[in-house]
C-alpha cells in the first residue's frame, strides 16, 4: 500500500511539474508581448492588408477610455459646467504662488479662455479664486497629498499633479496641464493637434534641440569606428502639456507618480521624460504612448524668448500662444514684462533683463 501511494504521489508530482513548466512558458510569452499586436487588432478593429508603397500609415491616435463618473462624482459635475468639448486647462496652486496665479488667470481671461480650473491646495487659494470669479476645485482631504500641498515648494507641488490628473482622465476629459508661471496670449485650444497621447512644449531653444537631431559621438580609441551616431532631443516640459484620456496616458501618470513616491529625491520632469522616451529593453517594458512636440515659437519657453526672439526684429513681430517663464528664477518680474511687451505694446519691456539668471 505504501509503495502504491508513493507511485501515485510521484505521478501527481510529475503532472504538477509539467503544469508549472507550461505556465512558466505562457508567462514568458506574455512578458515578451508576442501576441500584443494581435490583441490590439482585436481591440481596435479588423486586420488590414498593407497598401502600396508610400501609402501605409501606422496607428497614431489611441482611443479614449470610457468615462467613469463613479471615480469622483463631485469633480464630474464641476467639469460638466467648465469644460468645452471635454477639455480644459488645469493648474495646481498653493499660497506660495498666489501673486503669480493672479497674473496667470488675469491673462487667461484676456485671451478669451473659459475652460480653465485651478486645483487649490489650501483654503486661502480657494477663497482667493472665488473672490476673483475663477473656477476652483479643492480635493477631498488626503493626508499624504495635503501635507505636501500646504508647505511644498515648486518641485514638490509639481509632483502632485500626476496623481491628481488621473481622476480628470478617468472622467474622460483631456487636460492642458499648466504651471502658473505662464502668460496666455491666445487660446491654446485653437493650436493643438490632438493626434497623440501627450502633446508637450519643449525645453529646446532651436529646431535641433526642440525637435531632435543626430548627435555624433567621437571615440578615437575605436579607430575606423570612432564615430557613433546618437539621437538627442531636449526634454519635454512637465509644466505645460496636453494629455488625452487614453490608457497609455493614464499608465504614464501611474508610472511617474509611482516612481516619485519611491524616489523622493527625483525630479518630476526628468521622470516624466524617462517614462515617455525610454524604449523597452531587457528587464524594462517601455511606455507605448504617442507624443508630439509643440511649435517652440507658439508655445515658447523663456530661453527662446530672452536669448533669441527679443533680439530678432522678424521674430519679435510674432505673437506666441503662451510664454512659459521656466528658465528664469525672477518669474514674476519677467511675467509682468511679457505682458507689457505682448499685451500693452511696450517695445522695450524685455530689454532690461539678462539672457539668463544672475546666479
Amino acid at each position: 500500500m505504501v509503495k502504491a501511494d508513493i507511485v501515485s504521489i510521484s505521478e501527481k508530482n510529475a503532472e504538477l511539474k509539467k503544469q508549472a513548466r507550461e505556465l512558466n512558458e505562457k508567462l514568458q510569452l506574455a512578458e515578451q508581448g508576442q501576441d500584443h499586436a494581435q490583441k490590439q487588432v482585436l481591440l481596435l478593429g479588423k486586420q488590414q492588408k498593407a497598401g502600396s508603397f508610400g501609402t501605409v500609415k501606422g496607428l497614431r491616435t489611441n482611443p479614449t477610455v470610457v468615462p467613469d463618473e463613479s471615480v469622483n462624482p463631485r469633480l464630474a459635475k464641476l467639469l460638466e459646467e467648465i469644460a468645452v468639448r471635454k477639455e480644459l486647462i488645469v493648474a495646481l496652486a498653493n499660497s506660495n504662488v498666489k501673486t503669480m496665479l493672479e497674473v496667470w488667470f488675469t491673462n487667461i481671461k484676456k485671451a478669451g479662455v473659459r475652460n480653465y480650473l485651478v486645483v487649490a491646495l489650501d483654503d486661502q487659494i480657494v477663497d482667493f479664486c472665488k473672490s476673483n470669479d475663477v473656477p476652483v476645485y479643492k480635493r477631498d482631504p488626503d493626508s499624504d497629498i495635503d501635507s505636501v500641498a500646504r508647505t511644498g515648494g515648486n518641485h514638490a507641488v509639481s509632483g502632485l499633479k500626476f496623481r491628481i490628473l488621473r481622476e480628470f482622465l478617468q472622467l474622460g476629459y483631456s487636460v492642458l496641464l499648466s504651471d502658473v508661471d505662464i502668460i496666455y496670449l491666445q487660446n491654446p485650444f485653437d493650436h493643438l493637434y490632438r493626434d497623440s497621447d501627450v502633446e508637450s512644449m519643449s525645453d529646446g531653444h532651436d529646431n535641433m534641440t526642440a525637435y531632435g537631431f543626430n548627435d555624433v559621438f567621437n571615440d578615437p580609441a575605436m579607430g575606423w569606428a570612432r564615430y557613433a551616431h546618437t539621437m538627442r532631443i531636449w526634454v519635454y516640459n512637465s509644466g505645460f502639456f496636453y494629455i488625452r484620456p487614453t490608457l497609455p496616458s493614464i499608465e504614464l501618470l501611474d508610472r511617474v507618480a509611482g516612481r516619485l513616491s519611491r524616489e523622493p529625491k527625483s525630479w518630476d520632469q526628468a521622470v516624466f521624460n524617462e517614462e515617455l522616451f525610454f524604449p523597452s529593453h531587457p528587464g524594462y517594458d517601455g511606455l507605448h504612448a504617442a507624443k508630439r512636440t509643440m511649435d517652440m515659437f507658439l508655445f515658447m519657453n523663456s530661453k527662446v524668448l530672452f536669448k533669441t526672439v527679443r533680439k530678432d526684429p522678424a521674430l519679435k513681430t510674432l505673437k506666441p500662444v503662451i510664454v512659459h517663464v521656466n528658465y528664469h528664477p525672477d518669474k514674476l518680474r519677467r511675467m509682468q514684462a511679457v505682458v507689457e511687451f505682448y499685451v500693452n505694446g511696450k517695445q522695450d519691456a524685455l530689454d532690461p533683463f539678462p539672457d539668463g539668471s544672475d546666479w
Side-chain angles (χ1 to χ4, degrees), residues 12 36 53 95 110 119 122 134 155 177 180 191 193 206 214 242 253 265 268 287-288 300 320 325 328:
K12 288 182 179 178
H36 176 74
F53 180 82
S95 298
K110 287 181 181 178
V119 176
D122 56 43
V134 171
H155 281 191
L177 190 282
V180 296
H191 301 272
Y193 285 80
D206 56 24
N214 183 353
Y242 179 79
L253 298 181
K265 293 184 179 180
D268 72 283
L287 180 73
H288 294 265
M300 192 184 297
V325 187
H328 299 89

Side-chain angles (χ1 to χ4, degrees), residues 150-168:
R150 286 192 300 270
T151 60
N154 283 349
H155 281 191
V157 171
S158 188
L160 294 177
K161 63 194 172 199
F162 298 99
R163 292 177 63 178
I164 293 173
L165 277 183
R166 194 185 204 278
E167 290 185 346
F168 287 81

Side-chain angles (χ1 to χ4, degrees), residues 19 22 29 48 52 55 57 94 108 152 228 249 303 318 329 333 340 348:
Q19 291 178 12
E22 291 173 349
L29 287 174
Q48 299 179 7
S52 58
T55 66
K57 297 290 184 182
N94 63 14
I108 279 185
S249 295
K303 181 175 181 177
L318 299 176
R333 288 179 56 241
E340 286 295 315
D348 61 349

Side-chain angles (χ1 to χ4, degrees), residues 174-332:
S174 297
V175 172
L176 183 57
L177 190 282
S178 173
D179 282 350
V180 296
D181 57 344
I182 293 175
I183 298 297
Y184 286 76
L185 301 166
Q186 300 183 58
N187 189 331
F189 294 108
D190 295 337
H191 301 272
L192 297 175
Y193 285 80
R194 301 173 178 85
D195 63 347
S196 304
D197 299 297
V198 176
E199 198 168 335
S200 179
M201 73 170 294
S202 172
D203 272 2
H205 54 89
D206 56 24
N207 284 343
M208 290 174 61
T209 57
Y211 309 135
F213 65 104
N214 183 353
D215 188 33
V216 181
F217 176 78
N218 184 12
D219 185 2
M222 288 300 294
W224 174 82
R226 66 185 291 176
Y227 299 112
H229 290 255
T230 71
M231 300 308 299
R232 298 188 66 187
I233 187 171
W234 262 227
V235 293
Y236 282 178
N237 191 289
S238 63
F240 189 86
F241 61 88
Y242 179 79
I243 186 166
R244 296 175 59 247
T246 66
L247 289 179
S249 295
I250 295 173
E251 183 183 358
L252 171 65
L253 298 181
D254 289 351
R255 285 181 177 225
V256 176
R259 280 190 56 187
L260 292 175
S261 65
R262 297 189 303 270
E263 306 166 17
K265 293 184 179 180
S266 58
W267 181 28
D268 72 283
Q269 181 157 292
V271 174
F272 175 70
N273 279 272
E274 287 169 3
E275 294 299 334
L276 262 180
F277 285 96
F278 281 176
S280 298
H281 54 262
Y284 176 79
D285 288 330
L287 180 73
H288 294 265
K291 45 199 172 287
R292 169 181 283 274
T293 307
M294 292 176 171
D295 186 313
M296 68 173 179
F297 289 117
L298 292 181
F299 299 91
M300 192 184 297
N301 65 56
S302 55
K303 181 175 181 177
V304 171
L305 175 62
F306 285 96
K307 285 202 72 176
T308 304
V309 170
R310 67 169 173 167
K311 301 174 184 178
D312 188 307
L315 292 177
K316 282 180 72 173
T317 63
L318 299 176
K319 185 177 183 181
V321 178
I322 61 108
V323 174
H324 188 176
V325 187
N326 60 314
Y327 268 102
H328 299 89
D330 51 339
K331 296 181 181 298
L332 182 59

Side-chain angles (χ1 to χ4, degrees), residues 1-15:
M1 290 176 64
V2 172
K3 287 182 179 179
D5 289 339
I6 291 173
V7 171
S8 177
I9 291 171
S10 296
E11 290 174 349
K12 288 182 179 178
N13 191 41
E15 181 63 22

